[in-house]
Amino acid sequence: MSEPVIKAENLDLTFQTNDGPVHALKDVSLDIMKGDFVSFIGPSGCGKTTFLRVVAALEQPTGGAVSVNGMSPEEARKARAYGYVFQHAGLYPWRTIRGNIQLPLEIMGFPKSEWKDHIDRVLDLVDLRGFGKKFPWQLSGGMQQRASIARALAFDADILLMDEPFGALDEIVRDHLNEQLLELWDKTHKTIGFVTHSIPEAVYLSTRIVVMSPRPGRITDVIENTLPRERPLDIRDTPEFLEIAHRVREGLRAGHAYDD
Amino acid sequence: MKSALSILTVIAALIGLWYAACVPMNIHEAAIQAQRAGQEVTPAEAPERRKMGRIALAVKNPGLWRTVYEQDRPQLPAPHQVGAELWKTTWGMVERGRAFSKRSLILHGWITLSATLLGFAFGTLLGIVLAVSIVHSRAMDMSVMPWIIASQTVPILAIAPMIVVVLASLSVDDLIAKGVISMYLSFFPVVVGMVKGLRSPDAMQMDQMKTWSASRAQTFWKLRLPSSAPYLFASLKVGVAASLIGAVVAELSLSQDGGLGARLLAGSYYGQTVQIWSALLGAATLAAVLVWAIGLAQGMTLRRMGFQR
């Protein structure tokens, strides 16, 4: 097997707060291979978002080591290794959809002549062709989030880090976006780290599910998803799916995630 | 239609109140004039009249009520007197081809407007520069902000003559001196609003910039500055009104150049209350027009930028 794309070893992160130290991450070790779709699931405070933020160099670990493509997270960021999708689309209202996708290209200093190709390609990927000239407020919440995924993909990062990207959307839109995300993943062979609250979402999307629990934030279980890569939405009613979902629930219970 | 009616009702009520207030305000003068004309006034002695109070005097002499609206120098001029004066000194001057004569409110309004706009431009520029440096430097934030707030506790009326003297000794043009005084008032709302506006991007938006390794300059031009637009316009509305006040105050010190402030001053020297009130109303109208114009620009810009729809 090839080298892991993201490698975390004994990662510790302690926030100093007025109420004393908070152990956001404790002794977290995890390897994410190229092309993996890894979901992080667990209750609030379990460190799943913090882990993603450490990988993205938005937080500094207080102990342990993490590498992205064999580099430190900062180096990886400068090498445009990853795109980050936040819970809210965060599109700029004064820019069109094209303008928003162009934003990271401008900032990263891509030559102007290449902008159009990049934008066209990612608009196709998220199925928003023809909406490029629209402004964010003219789009539904789901479309806005797709635009924000397109923006994260615009500069050809191999890794996509997604922090509850569909958390603010209703279930019907969410199902649709889940399907589209799988399709996109299949087409692009990106490595995806995906934080979620939803067990069905985690099971439906991932190749591996990382179950975490709080106080201190730690990994309690890593579940290999045995579902085939071809996943229609109704796969969620099959016994195999329910079996894996059950294991995730067990993992959460083992970590006392339901205590509060 | 309904809102127009309610607005008109409020205006009518205010004018009614104004007319009513003219009676007690001008009753003493009316009594003196009536006595001179040989009319009977109760009580006949002026000291006694003063002792009994204006309202009681007005009630005792209903015959004087008509004359309170016809005085040359009333303590409180009636709306129609102010209106007539305004008409005479604006359109009336235009009709006579003397729109820019010294007696024309158009000339004085123009003088005040030019100082206001200059001060507004100075103030907006200074305000934005200060806000940018405050947002980007913690030292500026800690050291300059208290001074900015302190500056606004000093009465502009006290500081204006000093600015005039200092700038005159540097042989700076009077218009610029007025602009500086006006700036002293108008930069403040711009600083406060712009600091808030430049800081308005939330943690997520700032993190997003970080994931793209954006420089401070890029974050400023692409995120902070556009995000501050709604705050800037709100500040500009306050700022332009403050600029006008600053310009009028400056004209009290530099009254030889004319302007609405100079008209106010001249009016109070000679007890020309009608002239004072018409200059006041002229200034109020000017402020209303300026604020309205900024509101217009605000609506257009913010709609274009997607902040409003």
Side-chain angles (χ1 to χ4, degrees):
Chain A
M1 192 115 197
S2 58
E3 268 291 289
V5 175
I6 298 168
K7 191 175 176 63
E9 281 174 300
N10 312 110
L11 216 51
D12 275 314
L13 200 155
T14 310
F15 292 113
Q16 298 299 335
T17 69
N18 291 334
D19 301 331
V22 172
H23 298 281
L25 292 175
K26 189 161 171 60
D27 207 20
V28 170
S29 296
L30 183 73
D31 287 352
I32 298 177
M33 299 297 165
K34 183 161 172 47
D36 264 359
F37 194 131
V38 179
S39 286
F40 297 85
I41 192 165
S44 331
C46 72
K48 54 194 192 302
T49 293
T50 308
F51 180 77
L52 219 59
R53 288 174 65 84
V54 168
V55 172
L58 292 172
E59 306 283 357
Q60 293 301 320
T62 45
V66 61
S67 73
V68 180
N69 286 341
M71 298 176 273
S72 75
E74 283 88 0
E75 287 165 345
R77 173 162 77 203
K78 296 214 175 75
R80 301 172 195 157
Y82 64 85
Y84 203 104
V85 180
F86 292 86
Q87 181 168 6
H88 296 286
L91 301 171
Y92 292 1
W94 56 88
R95 283 174 175 251
T96 61
I97 298 304
R98 290 192 81 90
N100 269 288
I101 297 172
Q102 189 179 298
L103 184 65
L105 302 177
E106 290 171 20
I107 289 171
M108 292 173 174
F110 278 75
K112 251 186 192 160
S113 52
E114 291 177 15
W115 290 357
K116 190 182 175 306
D117 286 348
H118 280 263
I119 297 167
D120 285 342
R121 193 169 40 75
V122 292
L123 276 177
D124 278 352
L125 273 177
V126 298
D127 219 5
L128 278 181
R129 194 182 351 190
F131 289 93
K133 295 224 166 77
K134 298 261 188 239
F135 282 90
W137 57 269
Q138 295 171 301
L139 268 58
S140 68
M143 288 164 103
Q144 289 185 22
Q145 196 52 278
R146 263 147 65 194
S148 106
I149 294 171
R151 183 179 52 187
L153 293 170
F155 45 93
D156 294 329
D158 285 329
I159 304 168
L160 198 53
L161 302 174
M162 308 177 88
D163 184 5
E164 290 185 49
F166 309 139
L169 303 172
D170 68 62
E171 196 149 345
I172 297 163
V173 176
R174 203 170 172 152
D175 280 353
H176 181 56
L177 288 185
N178 280 341
E179 245 184 325
Q180 282 198 317
L181 181 60
L182 269 190
E183 214 175 279
L184 187 148
W185 174 62
D186 201 43
K187 264 191 263 181
T188 57
H189 306 291
K190 306 265 183 209
T191 309
I192 299 181
F194 189 96
V195 167
T196 180
H197 269 123
S198 151
I199 297 174
E201 192 171 65
V203 177
Y204 178 70
L205 290 172
S206 347
T207 54
R208 274 199 300 163
I209 302 156
V210 176
V211 183
M212 299 181 75
S213 74
R215 283 178 298 275
R218 64 196 187 278
I219 295 175
T220 48
D221 197 5
V222 179
I223 300 166
E224 291 291 333
N225 194 335
T226 50
L227 293 176
R229 276 193 80 143
E230 189 68 35
R231 295 176 192 177
L233 269 178
D234 51 22
I235 202 171
R236 294 180 300 181
D237 301 323
T238 62
E240 293 91 333
F241 187 96
L242 297 174
E243 166 67 28
I244 297 167
H246 179 72
R247 269 193 66 192
V248 174
R249 207 165 280 121
E250 286 294 302
L252 288 171
R253 192 166 291 137
H256 306 287
Y258 292 122
D259 281 2
D260 46 11
Chain B
M1 191 60 214
K2 214 173 167 187
S3 70
L5 199 71
S6 43
I7 291 170
L8 286 177
T9 310
V10 169
I11 291 176
L14 285 174
I15 290 179
L17 198 67
W18 188 345
Y19 270 111
C22 286
V23 177
M25 286 301 289
N26 301 335
I27 195 77
H28 282 296
E29 181 64 25
I32 291 167
Q33 284 179 6
Q35 263 185 338
R36 274 189 205 137
Q39 262 174 287
E40 190 86 356
V41 178
T42 49
E45 298 301 316
E48 260 178 78
R49 287 204 296 267
R50 252 189 288 284
K51 228 187 288 168
M52 72 188 297
R54 294 164 183 276
I55 293 175
L57 185 61
V59 171
K60 277 233 167 101
N61 299 280
L64 297 177
W65 286 20
R66 185 184 291 272
T67 59
V68 299
Y69 301 118
E70 292 158 2
Q71 297 167 6
D72 277 345
R73 293 178 185 182
Q75 287 196 340
L76 178 65
H80 68 267
Q81 289 177 298
V82 177
E85 169 79 7
L86 272 172
W87 185 261
K88 198 177 81 189
T89 51
T90 53
W91 186 246
M93 298 306 260
V94 175
E95 272 183 333
R96 285 156 60 198
R98 300 179 56 205
F100 284 88
S101 88
K102 280 220 148 164
R103 312 201 50 178
S104 159
L105 216 55
I106 296 175
L107 170 78
H108 294 288
W110 164 249
I111 292 169
T112 301
L113 179 67
S114 49
T116 301
L117 291 180
L118 188 68
F120 180 57
F122 283 172
T124 304
L125 204 68
L126 178 67
I128 290 174
V129 168
L130 282 173
V132 170
S133 59
I134 285 170
V135 167
H136 283 93
S137 150
R138 197 170 154 67
M140 281 292 281
D141 190 14
M142 305 292 277
S143 61
V144 177
M145 204 57 190
W147 285 103
I148 290 174
I149 291 163
S151 77
Q152 298 303 302
T153 64
V154 179
I156 181 74
L157 211 56
I159 231 172
M162 294 196 272
I163 294 176
V164 169
V165 169
V166 169
L167 291 183
S169 73
L170 299 169
S171 52
V172 174
D173 189 75
D174 278 359
L175 178 62
I176 292 179
K178 286 191 276 189
V180 169
I181 293 166
S182 161
M183 169 187 82
Y184 190 88
L185 288 187
S186 66
F187 85 97
F188 183 68
V190 178
V191 176
V192 174
M194 275 303 274
V195 166
K196 203 164 160 45
L198 292 172
R199 284 185 178 150
S200 65
D202 58 24
M204 190 215 87
Q205 287 176 303
M206 297 305 285
D207 278 345
Q208 198 172 48
M209 277 292 178
K210 225 167 158 186
T211 65
W212 299 326
S213 308
S215 66
R216 271 159 78 104
Q218 284 171 328
T219 305
F220 175 77
W221 289 110
K222 295 186 194 296
L223 176 60
R224 284 189 193 272
L225 195 64
S227 302
S228 71
Y231 297 84
L232 175 65
F233 276 106
S235 297
L236 290 184
K237 274 187 179 170
V238 183
V240 80
S243 282
L244 183 83
I245 296 171
V248 168
V249 169
E251 284 161 356
L252 300 179
S253 296
L254 285 162
S255 59
Q256 70 274 19
D257 300 337
L260 294 174
R263 289 283 281 187
L264 285 175
L265 194 65
S268 67
Y269 273 153
Y270 303 111
Q272 295 287 355
T273 46
V274 181
Q275 182 186 323
I276 295 177
W277 278 84
S278 64
L280 274 180
L281 280 187
T285 309
L286 199 57
V289 169
L290 288 171
V291 171
W292 170 81
I294 289 179
L296 208 65
Q298 175 182 36
M300 269 164 23
T301 313
L302 295 191
R303 244 193 314 280
R304 243 193 125 92
M305 290 183 74
F307 287 111
Q308 287 174 355
R309 60 207 69 127

